[in-house]
Amino acid sequence: MSTTAAAPESHLAEAGHASAGPGAGEWDAASLLRRFDEVRGHTELLAAPLSPEDQTVQSMPDVSPTKWHRAHVTWFFETFLLAEHEPRFAPFQDKYWFLFNSYYEALGPRFSRPDRGLITRPGAHDVGVYRGNVDDRVRDLVASLDGGSLEQATATIELGFHHEQQHQELLLMDVKHVLSRNPLQPVYAGTRLTPSEPDGMGWFDVAGGLVEIGHPGAGFCFDNELPRHQQWLEPYRIADRLVSNGEWLEFMADRAYERPELWLSDGWARAQEEGWRAPFYWSEHDGVWLEHTLHGTWPVDPGLPVSHVSHYEADAFASWAGKRLPTEGEWEYAVVVDGQESAVAGNLADLETYHPRPATPAPAGSRLRQVYGDCWEWTQSAYHPYPGFQAPAGAIGEYNGKFMSNQMVLRGGCALTPPGHARATYRNFFPHRSRWGLTGVRLADGGAPAGARG
Ligand SMILES: [Fe+2]
């Protein structure tokens, strides 16, 4: 992580942390190391299409260089695992603790986040050497532990898995922005699907009432998903799919970016200040809207979910449509009632398109489509602690809790979310203005007055 309230790592990526997840007792040394190699290897797989130059650029303050992500997740294992458990611990390089600490105040001073792109040494190759050193030491450590010491280290290692997965998603979001700034429009990887048209949007009626929200206790979760608690939900409806690019084109054609009555005041001000007139990666050429993706720049596909819109834009769209955004409690409860508390289906870790896809039928026995993957879904819920939340003691307590201000909760995961990293209770968070994340919109209705603000 990282961040100030506005920084990306602060967002989700670094938003989570660990804790409470049971799970430590479910691993043995062999399965732990197998998973360690999978997670570490996936990061290198994602970096493989990128040159050392690609991996060095920081195209805006919210973006971190690829090689920084690769080093920082390594620093995380070195700092929170090896420094704690390794006999005669010594850091790989003293200065790396300064360079690759993201936002942990308790661990001392760190390098300026907006200046990460100025660091040319260590280069991408040397970061690989650092990764290899820490990987070897983690393997040696796990092989040397048993009983209670292994169980204690396992909790940290499991957190390190989920932390690195958060950065895998960020790495791709950041590379997308880096490549978007190049007028040659280079392609990261992947292919384009045949263009499509959106199908009808259906609605799922939920009775509401006194329900339970939050992680139920089995398996890993971040501390911000706890404690499980009760919420009262009025009866509501939630859309069965995400808002499409085709619907967003209608929103634009109705001059919605020029109509302040549809927008939150802060959103209207930000839209004027930054000249918003379309989603973040859209550009108009000879009357045709194009979209930059990791697999190239193409005409906007009407059948795909709209992506890279801010919370402000999502809210304005809902207002224009006479609907609203769901609360995070409504989203989570609807997903559970629909039988999708586990991410058994969804466009996650899309290594073919690196992009959202058109809605497909819901899993057997369910109604809601595109619950997991495609786009992180904005909610109307501010990112606040659940009743009774307590951050863990020590530096690791900075993982999530200190970002619970001025950010909004998103649910569901996106096409760049790694496998095994999505669940009904997962709380991602970004500032309202954020557009660089792979974020989209699901509408809700009922429960609260719809479209009243306009
Ligand atoms: Fe991090």
Side-chain angles (χ1 to χ4, degrees), residues 65-398:
T66 297
K67 71 172 185 181
W68 185 90
H69 285 298
R70 293 172 59 220
H72 163 72
V73 293
T74 305
W75 168 90
F76 190 91
F77 281 110
E78 188 179 36
T79 301
F80 291 108
L81 178 71
L82 297 181
E84 185 71 21
H85 296 278
E86 191 178 48
R88 298 175 298 282
F89 168 82
F92 178 75
Q93 291 278 345
D94 283 337
K95 288 293 192 324
Y96 283 12
W97 283 49
F98 177 74
L99 282 180
F100 301 128
N101 175 4
S102 52
Y103 55 58
Y104 294 91
E105 302 285 355
L107 298 177
R110 61 193 178 279
F111 187 68
S112 162
R113 175 189 181 117
D115 293 330
R116 289 173 184 167
L118 300 178
I119 301 301
T120 59
R121 301 179 189 185
H125 171 77
D126 290 334
V127 167
V129 173
Y130 176 41
R131 288 180 63 88
N133 175 274
V134 169
D135 286 352
D136 289 343
R137 290 158 62 197
V138 170
R139 292 188 193 103
D140 290 345
L141 175 71
V142 170
S144 71
L145 299 176
D146 57 18
S149 61
L150 177 60
E151 187 168 332
Q152 190 182 19
T154 295
T156 303
I157 295 171
E158 189 174 28
L159 175 60
F161 295 162
H162 291 268
H163 173 251
E164 184 144 350
Q165 289 186 310
Q166 291 183 314
H167 278 275
Q168 289 166 357
E169 181 179 274
L170 281 179
L171 183 158
L172 291 171
M173 291 179 185
D174 290 355
V175 163
K176 187 172 189 174
H177 190 262
V178 166
L179 298 179
S180 78
R181 303 307 303 272
N182 185 332
L184 301 181
Q185 297 289 286
V187 171
Y188 165 74
T191 57
R192 184 192 192 211
L193 300 178
T194 303
S196 60
E197 293 293 329
D199 61 9
M201 181 182 291
W203 292 88
F204 182 46
D205 290 289
V206 184
L210 189 61
V211 306
E212 290 198 340
I213 300 297
H215 196 269
F220 177 87
C221 73
F222 287 107
D223 57 1
N224 61 5
E225 299 167 57
L226 296 170
R228 189 167 170 86
H229 61 284
Q230 293 181 322
Q231 279 189 14
W232 178 261
L233 301 180
E234 296 293 332
Y236 63 101
R237 299 195 303 162
I238 190 164
D240 78 338
R241 66 163 170 79
L242 302 180
V243 170
S244 68
N245 283 336
E247 288 150 351
W248 204 270
L249 285 165
E250 293 176 25
F251 172 70
M252 291 163 55
D254 201 27
R255 300 185 301 103
Y257 277 95
E258 304 165 35
R259 295 167 53 187
E261 73 272 19
L262 298 174
W263 292 72
L264 293 165
S265 176
D266 285 350
W268 179 250
R270 174 70 66 164
Q272 301 316 297
E273 184 181 322
E274 299 190 357
W276 295 352
R277 55 189 291 258
F280 188 51
Y281 283 123
W282 290 20
S283 57
E284 191 176 21
H285 296 269
D286 300 327
V288 177
W289 283 101
L290 305 180
E291 180 175 19
H292 167 76
T293 76
L294 284 167
H295 61 253
T297 300
W298 298 93
V300 168
D301 180 345
L304 300 184
V306 69
S307 56
H308 295 284
V309 291
S310 63
H311 179 270
Y312 293 136
E313 289 164 290
D315 184 89
F317 182 93
S319 183
W320 173 78
K323 309 296 182 189
R324 62 180 176 84
L325 301 178
T327 67
E328 64 168 324
E330 288 173 334
W331 190 98
E332 181 175 320
Y333 184 64
V335 166
V336 171
V337 167
D338 196 37
Q340 300 192 62
E341 58 268 50
S342 298
V344 293
N347 182 30
L348 296 153
D350 187 341
L351 301 184
E352 181 184 2
T353 72
Y354 299 89
H355 201 65
R357 292 176 179 240
T360 54
S366 297
R367 293 278 308 279
L368 297 175
R369 300 181 286 164
Q370 297 177 314
V371 168
Y372 296 106
D374 293 306
C375 297
W376 283 105
E377 302 174 25
W378 287 109
T379 72
Q380 64 168 262
S381 298
Y383 180 51
H384 285 154
Y386 283 164
F389 168 80
Q390 282 193 315
I396 201 65
E398 297 185 44

Side-chain angles (χ1 to χ4, degrees), residues 47-57 66-67 70 124-125 179 188:
L50 302 168
S51 69
E53 293 83 359
D54 291 332
Q55 293 193 37
T56 302
V57 171
T66 297
K67 71 172 185 181
R70 293 172 59 220
H125 171 77
L179 298 179
Y188 165 74

